[in-house]
Amino acid sequence: MAATACALFLGAAALAWWQYRDPAPYTLRASPAVTVTVRPAESEYPEAEEVADEAELLIKAYVQRLAAGDAAGLADLGAPWYTGRRKAAEDLVADYRGVAEQPVVATVDDPVVPYLAVVDIRFTGGKGQTLYLSRADGVWWIELGEGDPAGPGEASAI
């Protein structure tokens, strides 16, 4: 009887973990520490806030990879259906590595469609950049390199 109860408990715990796990295949690393404020653009619609919450990890990982000068890690944040991610990541590291170590503010615009997002990145000192994001199968990616922003996943259902 105790073994059955234990098995049921472990099964329920595994199911709960599976349903509420973070599906993103990327994480923040222990270093370098970065200061990134992610916020939605002012809007009367809730979508910008939802996307800001969903894409926050990706945006922070992006800034962290820039600050570390990690072009390979940055390329891994690029949408898998894009080509030329490594070269594009190397160019971004060359352009933004020095400013990514300072506090950054990222503002997520209202998405026009649920699977595409635009993020305005402002680095300390005034340098800025626009990031384009795509979502497929519940995961946000950076449009990095060459490819179709619609990509697979949610976009292909339209």
Side-chain angles (χ1 to χ4, degrees), residues 42-65:
E42 290 186 27
S43 174
E44 61 186 77
Y45 304 103
E47 287 80 10
E49 186 172 344
E50 291 170 12
V51 173
D53 289 343
E54 293 171 359
E56 183 173 10
L57 174 62
L58 174 61
I59 295 165
K60 288 180 176 181
Y62 170 78
V63 173
Q64 186 182 55
R65 305 303 191 274

CSV table of all heavy atoms in Angstrom, one decimal, residues 42-65:
chain,number,residue,atom,x,y,z
A,42,GLU,N,4.5,50.9,-23.3
A,42,GLU,CA,3.3,51.4,-22.8
A,42,GLU,C,2.2,51.0,-23.8
A,42,GLU,O,2.4,51.4,-25.0
A,42,GLU,CB,3.3,52.9,-22.5
A,42,GLU,CG,4.1,53.2,-21.3
A,42,GLU,CD,4.1,54.7,-20.9
A,42,GLU,OE1,3.0,55.3,-21.2
A,42,GLU,OE2,5.0,55.2,-20.3
A,43,SER,N,1.1,50.4,-23.4
A,43,SER,CA,0.1,49.9,-24.3
A,43,SER,C,-1.2,49.7,-23.6
A,43,SER,O,-1.2,49.5,-22.4
A,43,SER,CB,0.6,48.6,-24.9
A,43,SER,OG,-0.5,48.1,-25.7
A,44,GLU,N,-2.3,49.8,-24.3
A,44,GLU,CA,-3.6,49.5,-23.7
A,44,GLU,C,-3.9,48.0,-23.8
A,44,GLU,O,-4.8,47.5,-23.3
A,44,GLU,CB,-4.7,50.3,-24.4
A,44,GLU,CG,-4.8,50.0,-25.9
A,44,GLU,CD,-5.8,51.0,-26.5
A,44,GLU,OE1,-5.5,52.1,-26.8
A,44,GLU,OE2,-6.9,50.5,-26.8
A,45,TYR,N,-3.0,47.3,-24.5
A,45,TYR,CA,-3.2,45.8,-24.7
A,45,TYR,C,-2.2,45.0,-23.9
A,45,TYR,O,-1.1,45.5,-23.6
A,45,TYR,CB,-2.9,45.5,-26.2
A,45,TYR,CG,-3.8,46.3,-27.1
A,45,TYR,CD1,-3.3,47.3,-27.9
A,45,TYR,CD2,-5.2,46.0,-27.3
A,45,TYR,CE1,-4.1,48.1,-28.7
A,45,TYR,CE2,-6.0,46.7,-28.1
A,45,TYR,CZ,-5.5,47.8,-28.8
A,45,TYR,OH,-6.3,48.5,-29.6
A,46,PRO,N,-2.6,43.8,-23.4
A,46,PRO,CA,-1.7,43.1,-22.5
A,46,PRO,C,-0.6,42.3,-23.2
A,46,PRO,O,0.3,41.8,-22.6
A,46,PRO,CB,-2.7,42.1,-21.9
A,46,PRO,CG,-3.8,41.9,-22.9
A,46,PRO,CD,-3.9,43.2,-23.6
A,47,GLU,N,-0.6,42.2,-24.6
A,47,GLU,CA,0.3,41.4,-25.3
A,47,GLU,C,1.8,41.8,-25.1
A,47,GLU,O,2.6,40.9,-24.9
A,47,GLU,CB,0.0,41.3,-26.8
A,47,GLU,CG,-1.2,40.5,-27.1
A,47,GLU,CD,-2.5,41.3,-26.9
A,47,GLU,OE1,-2.5,42.5,-26.6
A,47,GLU,OE2,-3.6,40.7,-26.9
A,48,ALA,N,2.1,43.0,-25.0
A,48,ALA,CA,3.5,43.4,-24.8
A,48,ALA,C,4.0,43.0,-23.5
A,48,ALA,O,5.1,42.5,-23.4
A,48,ALA,CB,3.6,45.0,-24.9
A,49,GLU,N,3.2,43.0,-22.4
A,49,GLU,CA,3.6,42.6,-21.1
A,49,GLU,C,3.8,41.1,-21.1
A,49,GLU,O,4.7,40.5,-20.5
A,49,GLU,CB,2.5,43.0,-20.1
A,49,GLU,CG,3.0,42.6,-18.7
A,49,GLU,CD,2.1,43.2,-17.6
A,49,GLU,OE1,1.2,44.1,-17.9
A,49,GLU,OE2,2.2,42.7,-16.5
A,50,GLU,N,2.9,40.3,-21.8
A,50,GLU,CA,3.0,38.9,-21.9
A,50,GLU,C,4.3,38.5,-22.6
A,50,GLU,O,5.0,37.6,-22.1
A,50,GLU,CB,1.8,38.3,-22.6
A,50,GLU,CG,0.5,38.4,-21.8
A,50,GLU,CD,-0.7,38.0,-22.6
A,50,GLU,OE1,-0.5,37.5,-23.8
A,50,GLU,OE2,-1.8,38.3,-22.2
A,51,VAL,N,4.6,39.1,-23.7
A,51,VAL,CA,5.8,38.8,-24.4
A,51,VAL,C,7.0,39.2,-23.6
A,51,VAL,O,8.0,38.4,-23.6
A,51,VAL,CB,5.8,39.5,-25.8
A,51,VAL,CG1,7.1,39.3,-26.5
A,51,VAL,CG2,4.7,38.9,-26.7
A,52,ALA,N,7.0,40.3,-23.0
A,52,ALA,CA,8.1,40.7,-22.1
A,52,ALA,C,8.4,39.7,-21.1
A,52,ALA,O,9.6,39.3,-20.8
A,52,ALA,CB,7.9,42.1,-21.5
A,53,ASP,N,7.4,39.2,-20.4
A,53,ASP,CA,7.6,38.1,-19.4
A,53,ASP,C,8.1,36.8,-20.1
A,53,ASP,O,9.0,36.2,-19.5
A,53,ASP,CB,6.2,37.8,-18.7
A,53,ASP,CG,5.8,38.9,-17.8
A,53,ASP,OD1,6.6,39.8,-17.4
A,53,ASP,OD2,4.6,38.9,-17.4
A,54,GLU,N,7.6,36.4,-21.2
A,54,GLU,CA,8.0,35.2,-21.8
A,54,GLU,C,9.4,35.3,-22.4
A,54,GLU,O,10.1,34.3,-22.4
A,54,GLU,CB,7.0,34.9,-23.0
A,54,GLU,CG,5.6,34.5,-22.6
A,54,GLU,CD,4.7,34.4,-23.7
A,54,GLU,OE1,5.1,34.6,-24.9
A,54,GLU,OE2,3.5,34.1,-23.5
A,55,ALA,N,9.8,36.4,-22.9
A,55,ALA,CA,11.1,36.6,-23.6
A,55,ALA,C,12.2,37.1,-22.7
A,55,ALA,O,13.3,37.2,-23.1
A,55,ALA,CB,11.0,37.5,-24.8
A,56,GLU,N,11.9,37.4,-21.4
A,56,GLU,CA,12.9,38.0,-20.5
A,56,GLU,C,14.2,37.1,-20.4
A,56,GLU,O,15.3,37.7,-20.5
A,56,GLU,CB,12.3,38.2,-19.1
A,56,GLU,CG,13.2,38.8,-18.1
A,56,GLU,CD,12.5,39.2,-16.8
A,56,GLU,OE1,11.4,38.8,-16.6
A,56,GLU,OE2,13.2,39.9,-16.0
A,57,LEU,N,14.0,35.8,-20.2
A,57,LEU,CA,15.2,35.0,-20.1
A,57,LEU,C,16.1,35.1,-21.4
A,57,LEU,O,17.3,35.2,-21.3
A,57,LEU,CB,14.8,33.5,-19.9
A,57,LEU,CG,15.9,32.5,-19.9
A,57,LEU,CD1,16.9,32.8,-18.8
A,57,LEU,CD2,15.4,31.1,-19.8
A,58,LEU,N,15.5,35.0,-22.5
A,58,LEU,CA,16.2,35.1,-23.8
A,58,LEU,C,16.9,36.5,-23.9
A,58,LEU,O,18.1,36.5,-24.3
A,58,LEU,CB,15.3,35.0,-25.0
A,58,LEU,CG,15.9,35.2,-26.4
A,58,LEU,CD1,17.0,34.2,-26.6
A,58,LEU,CD2,14.8,35.1,-27.5
A,59,ILE,N,16.3,37.6,-23.5
A,59,ILE,CA,16.9,38.9,-23.6
A,59,ILE,C,18.1,39.0,-22.7
A,59,ILE,O,19.2,39.5,-23.0
A,59,ILE,CB,15.8,40.0,-23.4
A,59,ILE,CG1,14.8,40.0,-24.5
A,59,ILE,CG2,16.5,41.4,-23.3
A,59,ILE,CD1,13.5,40.7,-24.2
A,60,LYS,N,17.9,38.5,-21.5
A,60,LYS,CA,19.0,38.5,-20.5
A,60,LYS,C,20.2,37.7,-20.9
A,60,LYS,O,21.3,38.0,-20.8
A,60,LYS,CB,18.5,38.1,-19.1
A,60,LYS,CG,17.6,39.2,-18.5
A,60,LYS,CD,17.1,38.8,-17.1
A,60,LYS,CE,16.4,40.0,-16.5
A,60,LYS,NZ,15.9,39.6,-15.1
A,61,ALA,N,19.9,36.5,-21.5
A,61,ALA,CA,20.9,35.6,-22.0
A,61,ALA,C,21.6,36.2,-23.1
A,61,ALA,O,22.9,36.1,-23.2
A,61,ALA,CB,20.3,34.2,-22.4
A,62,TYR,N,20.9,36.9,-24.0
A,62,TYR,CA,21.5,37.6,-25.1
A,62,TYR,C,22.5,38.7,-24.6
A,62,TYR,O,23.7,38.7,-25.1
A,62,TYR,CB,20.4,38.3,-25.9
A,62,TYR,CG,20.9,39.3,-27.0
A,62,TYR,CD1,21.5,38.8,-28.2
A,62,TYR,CD2,20.9,40.6,-26.8
A,62,TYR,CE1,21.9,39.7,-29.1
A,62,TYR,CE2,21.4,41.5,-27.7
A,62,TYR,CZ,21.9,41.0,-28.9
A,62,TYR,OH,22.4,41.9,-29.9
A,63,VAL,N,22.1,39.5,-23.7
A,63,VAL,CA,23.0,40.5,-23.1
A,63,VAL,C,24.2,39.9,-22.4
A,63,VAL,O,25.4,40.3,-22.6
A,63,VAL,CB,22.3,41.5,-22.2
A,63,VAL,CG1,23.3,42.5,-21.5
A,63,VAL,CG2,21.2,42.3,-23.0
A,64,GLN,N,24.0,38.8,-21.7
A,64,GLN,CA,25.1,38.1,-21.0
A,64,GLN,C,26.1,37.6,-22.0
A,64,GLN,O,27.3,37.7,-21.8
A,64,GLN,CB,24.5,37.0,-20.1
A,64,GLN,CG,25.6,36.3,-19.3
A,64,GLN,CD,25.0,35.2,-18.4
A,64,GLN,OE1,24.4,34.3,-19.0
A,64,GLN,NE2,25.2,35.3,-17.1
A,65,ARG,N,25.6,36.9,-23.1
A,65,ARG,CA,26.5,36.4,-24.1
A,65,ARG,C,27.3,37.5,-24.8
A,65,ARG,O,28.5,37.3,-25.1
A,65,ARG,CB,25.8,35.6,-25.2
A,65,ARG,CG,24.9,34.4,-24.7
A,65,ARG,CD,25.6,33.4,-23.8
A,65,ARG,NE,24.8,32.2,-23.6
A,65,ARG,CZ,23.9,32.1,-22.7
A,65,ARG,NH1,23.6,33.0,-21.8
A,65,ARG,NH2,23.2,30.9,-22.6
